[in-house]
Amino acid sequence: WEKTSSTKTLLFPCHRRYPTVEIRAETFNGSTHVPVPSDSAFLKALLFELRLVDDHIFAEHRDTCTRINHSSVYSVRTEGGDLWPVLAFQKSGLIYACLPLVEETLEPRPPLLTVSGLSQGLALLLGIVDYISPSRKNEAEMSAKIGQLRNLLIQACPLGTPLNTNIRSLNSSFDDIQETPTDENQPAWRSNTYKGKPQVNVCITEKVKCMQYDKRDVVDMWQVYGAVNCKCDIEGSAPNVTLSLNLPTNGPPLQDIVVHHCVTSVDPAMLMSSSAEPLDDSVYNGPYKFPFIPPSDSFNLCYYTSQVPVPPILGCYQLIEEGSQLKITVNLKLHESIKNSFEYCEARIPFFNRGPIAQLEYKVSYGQLDLSREKSLLVWVIGQKFPKSLEVSLTGTVSFGTAGKEHPTDYVCTGNTAYVKLYFRIPDFTLTGCYVDQHSIQIFAPGKPKITASRELISSDYYIWNSKAPAPTTYKTLFD
Protein backbone atom coordinates (compact mmCIF):
# COMPACT_ATOMS: atom_id res chain seq x y z
CA TRP A 1 0.00 0.00 0.00
CA GLU A 2 1.10 3.56 -0.71
CA LYS A 3 0.63 6.22 1.91
CA THR A 4 0.38 9.95 1.06
CA SER A 5 -0.41 12.95 3.24
CA SER A 6 -4.18 12.53 2.93
CA THR A 7 -4.91 9.26 1.15
CA LYS A 8 -3.88 5.64 1.28
CA THR A 9 -3.88 3.79 -2.02
CA LEU A 10 -3.95 0.03 -2.52
CA LEU A 11 -1.01 -0.40 -4.90
CA PHE A 12 -1.23 -4.17 -4.98
CA PRO A 13 -4.95 -5.04 -5.18
CA CYS A 14 -4.19 -8.44 -6.76
CA HIS A 15 -2.74 -9.68 -3.51
CA ARG A 16 -2.22 -13.37 -2.87
CA ARG A 17 -4.72 -15.38 -0.85
CA TYR A 18 -4.17 -19.07 -0.29
CA PRO A 19 -7.44 -20.99 0.29
CA THR A 20 -5.53 -24.11 1.33
CA VAL A 21 -3.69 -22.15 4.02
CA GLU A 22 -6.95 -20.61 5.26
CA ILE A 23 -8.47 -24.10 5.53
CA ARG A 24 -5.40 -25.26 7.48
CA ALA A 25 -5.73 -22.25 9.78
CA GLU A 26 -9.36 -23.11 10.47
CA THR A 27 -8.35 -26.71 11.26
CA PHE A 28 -5.49 -25.69 13.57
CA ASN A 29 -7.25 -22.80 15.32
CA GLY A 30 -10.62 -24.50 15.82
CA SER A 31 -13.11 -22.34 17.71
CA THR A 32 -10.57 -19.51 17.97
CA HIS A 33 -10.32 -19.14 14.18
CA VAL A 34 -11.07 -15.69 12.75
CA PRO A 35 -11.82 -15.63 8.99
CA VAL A 36 -9.88 -13.25 6.76
CA PRO A 37 -12.23 -10.45 5.63
CA SER A 38 -12.49 -8.96 2.14
CA ASP A 39 -9.63 -6.91 0.70
CA SER A 40 -11.25 -3.54 1.39
CA ALA A 41 -12.36 -4.50 4.90
CA PHE A 42 -8.91 -5.81 5.79
CA LEU A 43 -7.22 -2.68 4.43
CA LYS A 44 -9.55 -0.39 6.37
CA ALA A 45 -9.02 -2.33 9.60
CA LEU A 46 -5.24 -2.45 9.14
CA LEU A 47 -4.93 1.28 8.47
CA PHE A 48 -7.03 1.98 11.56
CA GLU A 49 -4.80 -0.28 13.67
CA LEU A 50 -1.68 1.48 12.35
CA ARG A 51 -3.26 4.88 13.20
CA LEU A 52 -3.12 5.96 9.56
CA VAL A 53 -6.84 6.77 9.43
CA ASP A 54 -9.13 8.24 12.10
CA ASP A 55 -6.15 8.81 14.36
CA HIS A 56 -8.14 11.53 16.16
CA ILE A 57 -10.61 8.89 17.41
CA PHE A 58 -9.79 7.17 20.68
CA ALA A 59 -10.13 3.39 20.46
CA GLU A 60 -9.46 1.68 23.78
CA HIS A 61 -8.22 -1.61 22.28
CA ARG A 62 -5.68 0.37 20.22
CA ASP A 63 -4.85 3.56 22.11
CA THR A 64 -4.87 2.64 25.77
CA CYS A 65 -1.58 3.46 27.49
CA THR A 66 -1.41 -0.08 28.89
CA ARG A 67 -1.00 -1.46 25.36
CA ILE A 68 2.46 -0.74 24.01
CA ASN A 69 3.50 -2.61 20.88
CA HIS A 70 7.19 -3.47 20.79
CA SER A 71 7.09 -5.37 17.50
CA SER A 72 5.64 -5.22 14.00
CA VAL A 73 3.02 -7.82 14.89
CA TYR A 74 -0.50 -6.50 15.35
CA SER A 75 -3.96 -7.67 16.30
CA VAL A 76 -6.35 -6.22 13.72
CA ARG A 77 -9.98 -5.88 14.79
CA THR A 78 -12.47 -7.05 12.16
CA GLU A 79 -16.18 -7.83 12.16
CA GLY A 80 -15.37 -11.52 12.58
CA GLY A 81 -13.05 -10.93 15.52
CA ASP A 82 -9.43 -9.96 16.21
CA LEU A 83 -7.16 -11.12 13.40
CA TRP A 84 -3.74 -12.11 14.83
CA PRO A 85 -0.82 -12.18 14.09
CA VAL A 86 -0.77 -9.56 11.32
CA LEU A 87 2.81 -8.70 10.40
CA ALA A 88 2.98 -5.14 9.06
CA PHE A 89 5.50 -2.32 8.74
CA GLN A 90 6.12 0.87 6.78
CA LYS A 91 9.10 1.43 4.51
CA SER A 92 9.70 4.45 2.24
CA GLY A 93 6.04 5.43 2.18
CA LEU A 94 4.77 1.91 1.54
CA ILE A 95 3.03 -0.49 3.90
CA TYR A 96 3.93 -4.18 3.71
CA ALA A 97 1.73 -6.73 5.44
CA CYS A 98 1.00 -10.45 5.61
CA LEU A 99 -0.92 -12.88 7.81
CA PRO A 100 1.22 -15.88 8.83
CA LEU A 101 -0.28 -19.27 9.64
CA VAL A 102 -0.37 -20.28 13.33
CA GLU A 103 -0.33 -24.05 13.60
CA GLU A 104 -2.12 -24.22 16.96
CA THR A 105 -5.03 -22.69 18.82
CA LEU A 106 -4.92 -18.92 19.33
CA GLU A 107 -6.22 -18.85 22.91
CA PRO A 108 -4.12 -18.29 24.85
CA ARG A 109 -1.91 -16.61 22.27
CA PRO A 110 1.35 -18.51 21.81
CA PRO A 111 4.69 -16.67 22.22
CA LEU A 112 5.84 -14.97 19.02
CA LEU A 113 9.08 -16.96 18.97
CA THR A 114 7.12 -20.20 18.62
CA VAL A 115 5.23 -19.05 15.49
CA SER A 116 7.53 -20.17 12.66
CA GLY A 117 5.35 -18.49 10.05
CA LEU A 118 6.34 -15.06 11.37
CA SER A 119 9.98 -15.41 10.33
CA GLN A 120 8.94 -16.84 6.96
CA GLY A 121 6.49 -13.99 6.39
CA LEU A 122 9.05 -11.38 7.43
CA ALA A 123 11.63 -12.86 5.04
CA LEU A 124 9.12 -12.75 2.20
CA LEU A 125 8.13 -9.14 2.93
CA LEU A 126 11.77 -8.07 3.13
CA GLY A 127 12.34 -9.78 -0.22
CA ILE A 128 9.51 -7.68 -1.68
CA VAL A 129 11.01 -4.55 -0.11
CA ASP A 130 14.38 -5.35 -1.69
CA TYR A 131 12.68 -5.86 -5.06
CA ILE A 132 10.56 -2.69 -5.02
CA SER A 133 12.65 -0.13 -3.10
CA PRO A 134 15.29 0.64 -5.80
CA SER A 135 12.49 1.94 -8.06
CA ARG A 136 10.75 4.02 -5.41
CA LYS A 137 11.62 7.37 -7.07
CA ASN A 138 10.68 6.27 -10.59
CA GLU A 139 6.90 6.06 -10.81
CA ALA A 140 6.79 4.27 -14.18
CA GLU A 141 9.34 1.63 -13.13
CA MET A 142 7.56 1.28 -9.80
CA SER A 143 4.22 0.57 -11.48
CA ALA A 144 5.84 -1.98 -13.81
CA LYS A 145 7.42 -3.85 -10.90
CA ILE A 146 4.21 -3.92 -8.91
CA GLY A 147 2.44 -5.25 -12.01
CA GLN A 148 4.94 -8.13 -12.12
CA LEU A 149 4.80 -8.84 -8.42
CA ARG A 150 1.74 -11.11 -8.54
CA ASN A 151 3.38 -13.42 -11.06
CA LEU A 152 6.66 -13.41 -9.18
CA LEU A 153 4.89 -14.42 -5.98
CA ILE A 154 3.43 -17.43 -7.79
CA GLN A 155 6.99 -18.68 -8.13
CA ALA A 156 8.29 -17.43 -4.77
CA CYS A 157 5.33 -18.72 -2.76
CA PRO A 158 3.22 -21.01 -4.97
CA LEU A 159 1.26 -22.90 -2.29
CA GLY A 160 1.46 -20.53 0.66
CA THR A 161 4.90 -21.51 1.97
CA PRO A 162 7.79 -19.25 0.84
CA LEU A 163 10.23 -21.24 -1.29
CA ASN A 164 12.42 -18.34 -2.39
CA THR A 165 12.32 -15.00 -0.61
CA ASN A 166 14.84 -13.38 -2.95
CA ILE A 167 12.19 -11.83 -5.21
CA ARG A 168 14.77 -9.86 -7.16
CA SER A 169 16.45 -13.08 -8.33
CA LEU A 170 13.15 -14.29 -9.82
CA ASN A 171 12.71 -11.25 -12.03
CA SER A 172 14.93 -12.61 -14.82
CA SER A 173 12.63 -15.60 -15.30
CA PHE A 174 9.46 -13.52 -15.36
CA ASP A 175 8.70 -14.29 -19.00
CA ASP A 176 8.61 -18.00 -18.23
CA ILE A 177 6.18 -17.69 -15.35
CA GLN A 178 2.59 -18.66 -16.03
CA GLU A 179 -0.21 -17.99 -13.61
CA THR A 180 -1.89 -21.28 -14.51
CA PRO A 181 -0.20 -24.25 -16.18
CA THR A 182 -0.93 -24.52 -19.91
CA ASP A 183 -0.60 -28.30 -19.59
CA GLU A 184 -3.14 -29.95 -17.31
CA ASN A 185 -0.51 -32.54 -16.38
CA GLN A 186 1.87 -29.88 -15.03
CA PRO A 187 1.98 -30.21 -11.22
CA ALA A 188 1.50 -27.16 -9.02
CA TRP A 189 5.09 -27.26 -7.76
CA ARG A 190 6.47 -26.67 -11.29
CA SER A 191 5.70 -22.96 -11.36
CA ASN A 192 7.51 -22.37 -14.66
CA THR A 193 8.93 -24.37 -17.55
CA TYR A 194 12.61 -24.50 -18.45
CA LYS A 195 13.98 -23.68 -21.89
CA GLY A 196 17.53 -24.65 -22.73
CA LYS A 197 20.10 -27.40 -22.48
CA PRO A 198 18.99 -30.04 -19.94
CA GLN A 199 21.17 -30.46 -16.87
CA VAL A 200 20.84 -32.13 -13.47
CA ASN A 201 22.87 -31.29 -10.37
CA VAL A 202 22.76 -33.57 -7.32
CA CYS A 203 24.59 -33.00 -4.03
CA ILE A 204 24.56 -35.31 -1.00
CA THR A 205 25.33 -33.42 2.20
CA GLU A 206 25.90 -35.43 5.36
CA LYS A 207 26.31 -33.77 8.74
CA VAL A 208 27.75 -35.50 11.76
CA LYS A 209 26.84 -34.49 15.29
CA CYS A 210 28.98 -35.82 18.11
CA MET A 211 29.40 -35.76 21.91
CA GLN A 212 32.61 -37.32 23.26
CA TYR A 213 33.41 -37.52 26.97
CA ASP A 214 36.35 -39.97 27.28
CA LYS A 215 34.74 -41.44 30.41
CA ARG A 216 33.93 -45.00 31.39
CA ASP A 217 30.59 -44.10 32.96
CA VAL A 218 29.37 -41.84 30.15
CA VAL A 219 28.68 -43.19 26.68
CA ASP A 220 29.91 -41.21 23.68
CA MET A 221 27.22 -40.42 21.14
CA TRP A 222 27.26 -39.52 17.47
CA GLN A 223 24.64 -39.15 14.79
CA VAL A 224 24.67 -38.78 11.01
CA TYR A 225 21.92 -37.14 9.02
CA GLY A 226 21.93 -36.41 5.31
CA ALA A 227 20.06 -34.47 2.65
CA VAL A 228 20.03 -35.00 -1.11
CA ASN A 229 19.68 -31.67 -2.90
CA CYS A 230 18.67 -31.58 -6.57
CA LYS A 231 18.39 -28.93 -9.27
CA CYS A 232 16.83 -30.26 -12.47
CA ASP A 233 16.76 -27.93 -15.48
CA ILE A 234 14.69 -30.03 -17.86
CA GLU A 235 12.23 -29.02 -20.56
CA GLY A 236 8.61 -30.13 -20.35
CA SER A 237 5.66 -29.50 -18.11
CA ALA A 238 6.02 -32.76 -16.15
CA PRO A 239 9.35 -34.50 -16.86
CA ASN A 240 9.96 -37.82 -15.11
CA VAL A 241 13.29 -38.44 -13.39
CA THR A 242 14.51 -41.49 -11.50
CA LEU A 243 17.51 -41.17 -9.18
CA SER A 244 19.18 -43.91 -7.16
CA LEU A 245 21.26 -43.67 -3.99
CA ASN A 246 23.78 -46.45 -3.53
CA LEU A 247 25.79 -47.75 -0.58
CA PRO A 248 29.12 -49.60 -0.61
CA THR A 249 29.23 -53.25 0.44
CA ASN A 250 28.55 -53.57 4.17
CA GLY A 251 27.73 -49.85 4.36
CA PRO A 252 25.33 -48.83 7.17
CA PRO A 253 21.74 -48.65 5.82
CA LEU A 254 19.87 -45.37 5.52
CA GLN A 255 17.11 -44.87 8.07
CA ASP A 256 14.31 -42.43 8.93
CA ILE A 257 13.97 -41.55 5.24
CA VAL A 258 11.65 -38.64 4.48
CA VAL A 259 10.93 -37.84 0.82
CA HIS A 260 9.85 -34.68 -1.00
CA HIS A 261 6.20 -34.53 -2.08
CA CYS A 262 7.27 -34.57 -5.76
CA VAL A 263 8.34 -38.24 -5.42
CA THR A 264 5.70 -40.26 -7.26
CA SER A 265 6.30 -43.69 -5.70
CA VAL A 266 8.68 -45.37 -3.28
CA ASP A 267 9.39 -48.86 -1.96
CA PRO A 268 7.56 -49.13 1.41
CA ALA A 269 10.48 -51.12 2.83
CA MET A 270 12.65 -48.07 2.33
CA LEU A 271 10.49 -46.01 4.69
CA MET A 272 10.17 -48.69 7.36
CA SER A 273 13.77 -48.55 8.58
CA SER A 274 13.82 -46.54 11.80
CA SER A 275 16.76 -45.57 14.01
CA ALA A 276 14.48 -46.10 17.02
CA GLU A 277 14.64 -49.86 16.46
CA PRO A 278 17.69 -52.18 16.52
CA LEU A 279 19.16 -53.08 13.16
CA ASP A 280 18.64 -56.61 11.89
CA ASP A 281 19.62 -58.58 8.79
CA SER A 282 16.32 -57.84 7.07
CA VAL A 283 16.76 -54.07 7.02
CA TYR A 284 16.58 -52.44 3.58
CA ASN A 285 20.05 -51.43 2.38
CA GLY A 286 19.39 -50.16 -1.12
CA PRO A 287 19.66 -49.21 -3.81
CA TYR A 288 17.23 -46.44 -2.89
CA LYS A 289 15.24 -45.42 -5.96
CA PHE A 290 13.31 -42.17 -6.17
CA PRO A 291 11.09 -41.53 -9.22
CA PHE A 292 9.90 -37.90 -9.21
CA ILE A 293 8.69 -34.90 -11.19
CA PRO A 294 11.16 -32.17 -10.15
CA PRO A 295 10.15 -28.66 -9.09
CA SER A 296 11.55 -25.75 -11.10
CA ASP A 297 13.95 -24.67 -8.34
CA SER A 298 16.50 -26.37 -6.16
CA PHE A 299 14.93 -28.74 -3.61
CA ASN A 300 15.84 -31.48 -1.14
CA LEU A 301 14.74 -34.81 -2.62
CA CYS A 302 15.03 -36.65 0.69
CA TYR A 303 16.44 -36.63 4.19
CA TYR A 304 17.86 -39.60 6.11
CA THR A 305 19.84 -40.71 9.15
CA SER A 306 22.27 -43.60 9.63
CA GLN A 307 23.98 -45.45 12.46
CA VAL A 308 27.67 -45.41 11.56
CA PRO A 309 30.01 -47.51 13.75
CA VAL A 310 32.55 -44.80 14.63
CA PRO A 311 32.81 -40.99 14.54
CA PRO A 312 35.25 -39.57 11.98
CA ILE A 313 37.56 -37.94 14.55
CA LEU A 314 38.16 -39.35 18.02
CA GLY A 315 39.27 -36.85 20.64
CA CYS A 316 40.35 -36.42 24.22
CA TYR A 317 40.37 -33.08 26.08
CA GLN A 318 41.84 -32.56 29.52
CA LEU A 319 41.71 -29.24 31.37
CA ILE A 320 43.17 -28.98 34.86
CA GLU A 321 43.25 -25.84 37.00
CA GLU A 322 46.46 -25.30 38.95
CA GLY A 323 46.46 -22.06 40.91
CA SER A 324 45.96 -19.16 38.50
CA GLN A 325 46.78 -21.27 35.45
CA LEU A 326 44.99 -23.81 33.32
CA LYS A 327 46.80 -26.77 31.84
CA ILE A 328 45.21 -28.10 28.67
CA THR A 329 45.84 -31.20 26.59
CA VAL A 330 44.00 -32.06 23.38
CA ASN A 331 44.54 -35.24 21.37
CA LEU A 332 42.74 -35.88 18.08
CA LYS A 333 42.85 -38.96 15.87
CA LEU A 334 41.37 -39.31 12.40
CA HIS A 335 39.80 -42.71 11.89
CA GLU A 336 41.59 -44.75 9.23
CA SER A 337 38.40 -45.22 7.21
CA ILE A 338 37.96 -41.45 6.73
CA LYS A 339 39.24 -39.64 3.65
CA ASN A 340 42.24 -37.55 4.73
CA SER A 341 41.47 -34.56 2.55
CA PHE A 342 39.71 -31.60 4.16
CA GLU A 343 38.57 -28.29 2.79
CA TYR A 344 39.13 -27.03 6.34
CA CYS A 345 39.61 -28.58 9.76
CA GLU A 346 40.03 -26.69 13.01
CA ALA A 347 39.43 -27.10 16.74
CA ARG A 348 38.12 -24.16 18.75
CA ILE A 349 38.77 -24.03 22.49
CA PRO A 350 36.68 -21.38 24.28
CA PHE A 351 37.26 -20.22 27.86
CA PHE A 352 34.04 -19.10 29.53
CA ASN A 353 33.50 -16.99 32.67
CA ARG A 354 37.14 -15.88 32.70
CA GLY A 355 39.06 -12.78 31.70
CA PRO A 356 41.16 -12.32 28.55
CA ILE A 357 44.06 -14.67 27.99
CA ALA A 358 47.08 -12.82 29.38
CA GLN A 359 49.73 -15.50 28.91
CA LEU A 360 49.86 -18.54 26.64
CA GLU A 361 52.53 -21.18 26.33
CA TYR A 362 51.83 -24.09 24.01
CA LYS A 363 53.18 -26.84 21.79
CA VAL A 364 51.37 -28.35 18.79
CA SER A 365 52.49 -31.46 16.94
CA TYR A 366 50.79 -30.29 13.77
CA GLY A 367 49.06 -27.20 12.39
CA GLN A 368 49.08 -23.78 14.03
CA LEU A 369 47.40 -22.16 17.03
CA ASP A 370 45.80 -18.71 16.85
CA LEU A 371 44.35 -16.47 19.56
CA SER A 372 41.07 -14.69 18.83
CA ARG A 373 40.86 -10.90 18.89
CA GLU A 374 38.82 -10.99 22.12
CA LYS A 375 41.51 -13.21 23.66
CA SER A 376 38.96 -15.71 24.93
CA LEU A 377 39.23 -18.39 22.25
CA LEU A 378 42.04 -20.58 20.94
CA VAL A 379 41.71 -21.66 17.31
CA TRP A 380 43.80 -24.68 16.38
CA VAL A 381 44.01 -24.76 12.58
CA ILE A 382 44.83 -28.33 11.58
CA GLY A 383 44.49 -27.59 7.87
CA GLN A 384 43.61 -29.82 4.95
CA LYS A 385 45.31 -33.04 6.05
CA PHE A 386 46.21 -34.99 9.14
CA PRO A 387 49.82 -36.28 9.27
CA LYS A 388 50.63 -39.86 8.26
CA SER A 389 50.13 -41.03 11.83
CA LEU A 390 46.57 -39.57 11.65
CA GLU A 391 47.13 -38.17 15.16
CA VAL A 392 47.70 -34.59 16.35
CA SER A 393 48.17 -33.14 19.82
CA LEU A 394 48.18 -29.81 21.62
CA THR A 395 49.52 -29.06 25.10
CA GLY A 396 49.65 -25.69 26.76
CA THR A 397 49.37 -23.47 29.81
CA VAL A 398 46.96 -20.53 29.93
CA SER A 399 46.59 -17.68 32.42
CA PHE A 400 43.98 -14.92 32.42
CA GLY A 401 43.53 -11.25 33.19
CA THR A 402 40.58 -9.45 34.76
CA ALA A 403 37.19 -10.43 33.32
CA GLY A 404 35.12 -7.85 31.44
CA LYS A 405 31.59 -7.71 30.07
CA GLU A 406 32.76 -8.49 26.55
CA HIS A 407 34.08 -11.93 27.43
CA PRO A 408 31.85 -15.01 26.96
CA THR A 409 29.84 -16.51 29.80
CA ASP A 410 28.05 -19.83 30.05
CA TYR A 411 25.90 -21.23 32.86
CA VAL A 412 26.73 -24.82 31.87
CA CYS A 413 30.46 -24.43 31.33
CA THR A 414 31.49 -23.38 34.83
CA GLY A 415 34.71 -24.33 36.58
CA ASN A 416 36.54 -27.00 34.62
CA THR A 417 33.48 -28.09 32.66
CA ALA A 418 34.57 -27.09 29.16
CA TYR A 419 34.78 -28.38 25.63
CA VAL A 420 36.63 -28.37 22.33
CA LYS A 421 34.42 -27.92 19.28
CA LEU A 422 35.52 -29.26 15.89
CA TYR A 423 34.72 -27.66 12.54
CA PHE A 424 35.51 -29.50 9.31
CA ARG A 425 34.33 -30.25 5.80
CA ILE A 426 35.44 -33.20 3.67
CA PRO A 427 34.50 -32.81 -0.01
CA ASP A 428 33.66 -35.81 -2.20
CA PHE A 429 33.05 -38.02 0.84
CA THR A 430 30.16 -39.26 2.98
CA LEU A 431 30.40 -41.06 6.30
CA THR A 432 27.83 -43.66 5.21
CA GLY A 433 29.54 -44.08 1.84
CA CYS A 434 26.28 -43.03 0.15
CA TYR A 435 26.72 -41.88 -3.44
CA VAL A 436 24.79 -41.18 -6.63
CA ASP A 437 25.63 -43.28 -9.66
CA GLN A 438 25.38 -40.80 -12.53
CA HIS A 439 24.74 -43.61 -15.01
CA SER A 440 21.72 -44.77 -13.02
CA ILE A 441 19.89 -41.45 -13.35
CA GLN A 442 17.03 -41.87 -15.80
CA ILE A 443 15.42 -38.84 -17.41
CA PHE A 444 12.38 -39.29 -19.62
CA ALA A 445 12.71 -36.05 -21.58
CA PRO A 446 14.19 -35.01 -24.94
CA GLY A 447 17.90 -34.32 -25.16
CA LYS A 448 20.91 -35.74 -23.35
CA PRO A 449 21.28 -33.93 -20.04
CA LYS A 450 24.53 -32.96 -18.37
CA ILE A 451 24.62 -34.68 -14.97
CA THR A 452 26.76 -33.44 -12.08
CA ALA A 453 26.90 -35.34 -8.78
CA SER A 454 28.83 -34.32 -5.66
CA ARG A 455 28.87 -35.15 -1.96
CA GLU A 456 30.31 -33.75 1.26
CA LEU A 457 30.65 -34.40 4.99
CA ILE A 458 30.28 -31.44 7.38
CA SER A 459 30.62 -31.28 11.16
CA SER A 460 27.65 -30.09 13.21
CA ASP A 461 27.74 -29.64 16.99
CA TYR A 462 30.89 -31.75 17.25
CA TYR A 463 31.91 -31.49 20.92
CA ILE A 464 34.74 -33.08 22.92
CA TRP A 465 34.19 -32.46 26.63
CA ASN A 466 36.82 -32.12 29.33
CA SER A 467 37.29 -35.60 30.80
CA LYS A 468 38.57 -34.10 34.08
CA ALA A 469 35.24 -32.48 34.89
CA PRO A 470 31.60 -33.65 35.25
CA ALA A 471 29.85 -34.31 31.94
CA PRO A 472 27.05 -31.76 31.40
CA THR A 473 23.78 -33.69 31.10
CA THR A 474 22.12 -30.64 29.54
CA TYR A 475 23.86 -31.28 26.25
CA LYS A 476 22.80 -34.92 26.10
CA THR A 477 19.28 -33.82 25.21
CA LEU A 478 20.55 -32.70 21.81
CA PHE A 479 20.28 -36.34 20.75
CA ASP A 480 16.80 -37.00 22.16
Side-chain angles (χ1 to χ4, degrees):
W1 293 281
E2 181 177 38
K3 180 190 70 165
T4 64
S5 57
S6 59
T7 62
K8 288 80 186 173
T9 307
L10 186 62
L11 281 183
F12 188 23
C14 300
H15 72 289
R16 293 292 297 168
R17 291 182 72 140
Y18 298 93
T20 54
V21 178
E22 294 186 37
I23 292 173
R24 290 179 65 201
E26 188 173 357
T27 303
F28 280 120
N29 305 155
S31 61
T32 61
H33 176 69
V34 177
V36 182
S38 64
D39 300 354
S40 58
F42 175 78
L43 174 59
K44 182 179 179 180
L46 176 63
L47 293 178
F48 184 79
E49 178 64 28
L50 297 177
R51 297 182 176 88
L52 296 176
V53 295
D54 298 333
D55 55 350
H56 61 285
I57 299 175
F58 176 80
E60 185 174 355
H61 77 277
R62 182 193 68 177
D63 301 320
T64 176
C65 61
T66 59
R67 181 176 180 265
I68 302 175
N69 197 17
H70 295 286
S71 69
S72 297
V73 179
Y74 298 89
S75 177
V76 176
R77 181 153 294 185
T78 68
E79 290 186 0
D82 290 348
L83 203 60
W84 182 92
V86 176
L87 180 60
F89 59 87
Q90 299 183 54
K91 179 73 173 178
S92 303
L94 298 178
I95 302 170
Y96 300 83
C98 71
L99 178 61
L101 173 67
V102 180
E103 298 181 318
E104 56 185 302
T105 58
L106 298 175
E107 295 295 341
R109 288 182 180 173
L112 294 181
L113 289 176
T114 65
V115 182
S116 60
L118 282 172
S119 58
Q120 295 176 344
L122 180 60
L124 184 63
L125 291 181
L126 292 177
I128 297 174
V129 171
D130 183 60
Y131 168 71
I132 290 179
S133 292
S135 307
R136 188 67 187 92
K137 296 181 180 180
N138 188 321
E139 187 173 343
E141 186 178 345
M142 179 82 166
S143 299
K145 282 196 171 184
I146 290 176
Q148 295 177 355
L149 192 53
R150 177 181 176 84
N151 288 322
L152 293 177
L153 281 178
I154 292 173
Q155 186 177 15
C157 191
L159 299 175
T161 300
L163 301 180
N164 188 349
T165 57
N166 187 358
I167 307 298
R168 186 188 296 182
S169 70
L170 302 177
N171 191 33
S172 61
S173 58
F174 168 69
D175 293 336
D176 294 331
I177 301 174
Q178 302 167 2
E179 186 166 336
T180 57
T182 57
D183 189 331
E184 61 180 10
N185 295 321
Q186 181 171 339
W189 58 84
R190 280 187 69 81
S191 55
N192 67 316
T193 55
Y194 174 77
K195 300 292 184 182
K197 185 176 180 180
Q199 51 187 352
V200 175
N201 293 295
V202 184
C203 179
I204 302 175
T205 299
E206 285 189 356
K207 294 185 178 181
V208 55
K209 180 184 293 187
C210 190
M211 295 283 167
Q212 297 183 38
Y213 302 96
D214 191 33
K215 289 176 175 287
R216 290 185 177 181
D217 58 335
V218 183
V219 179
D220 293 346
M221 293 174 287
W222 56 92
Q223 192 177 64
V224 177
Y225 50 101
V228 181
N229 183 268
C230 299
K231 181 68 167 69
C232 302
D233 295 324
I234 305 171
E235 292 187 359
S237 59
N240 287 284
V241 180
T242 299
L243 182 148
S244 295
L245 299 180
N246 298 274
L247 294 174
T249 305
N250 299 325
L254 305 186
Q255 297 176 288
D256 306 321
I257 298 175
V258 178
V259 300
H260 192 274
H261 58 75
C262 72
V263 176
T264 55
S265 65
V266 68
D267 190 329
M270 185 190 307
L271 304 179
M272 295 299 290
S273 179
S274 171
S275 57
E277 300 175 358
L279 291 174
D280 56 44
D281 295 336
S282 64
V283 69
Y284 191 87
N285 57 2
Y288 305 85
K289 289 190 176 183
F290 301 90
F292 60 95
I293 300 174
S296 306
D297 299 315
S298 175
F299 70 102
N300 285 328
L301 177 66
C302 69
Y303 300 90
Y304 62 84
T305 66
S306 184
Q307 300 180 40
V308 296
V310 293
I313 299 177
L314 293 169
C316 173
Y317 178 36
Q318 294 184 351
L319 180 150
I320 302 174
E321 193 165 0
E322 294 185 355
S324 60
Q325 293 183 331
L326 294 180
K327 287 190 174 181
I328 61 172
T329 302
V330 183
N331 295 305
L332 302 175
K333 181 177 181 180
L334 180 68
H335 193 270
E336 58 186 11
S337 65
I338 306 303
K339 181 181 178 182
N340 191 8
S341 179
F342 294 77
E343 180 179 309
Y344 57 85
C345 181
E346 64 182 41
R348 298 184 185 181
I349 311 170
F351 296 97
F352 297 103
N353 312 309
R354 305 177 189 272
I357 295 176
Q359 187 174 357
L360 171 65
E361 296 180 1
Y362 68 91
K363 180 180 179 181
V364 291
S365 66
Y366 195 79
Q368 66 180 49
L369 189 68
D370 298 324
L371 179 62
S372 69
R373 182 182 301 177
E374 298 80 12
K375 297 185 177 180
S376 59
L377 173 71
L378 297 180
V379 181
W380 181 12
V381 180
I382 298 169
Q384 296 181 325
K385 273 185 176 293
F386 274 66
K388 289 184 178 181
S389 64
L390 303 181
E391 297 183 37
V392 294
S393 63
L394 160 67
T395 57
T397 304
V398 186
S399 59
F400 303 88
T402 305
K405 293 182 179 180
E406 69 278 7
H407 290 90
T409 59
D410 192 296
Y411 293 106
V412 173
C413 297
T414 57
N416 289 351
T417 300
Y419 62 76
V420 173
K421 189 173 182 181
L422 299 188
Y423 296 82
F424 58 82
R425 177 182 180 271
I426 306 178
D428 194 28
F429 180 81
T430 51
L431 201 54
T432 61
C434 183
Y435 67 96
V436 174
D437 183 359
Q438 298 185 33
H439 301 291
S440 68
I441 298 179
Q442 297 177 323
I443 301 175
F444 304 95
K448 185 177 181 180
K450 177 183 178 183
I451 299 175
T452 304
S454 60
R455 54 183 185 163
E456 60 183 358
L457 176 67
I458 301 175
S459 63
S460 173
D461 294 331
Y462 205 106
Y463 292 92
I464 301 171
W465 291 92
N466 178 23
S467 62
K468 297 296 183 179
T473 56
T474 302
Y475 284 81
K476 295 178 184 178
T477 59
L478 292 173
F479 289 86
D480 292 344

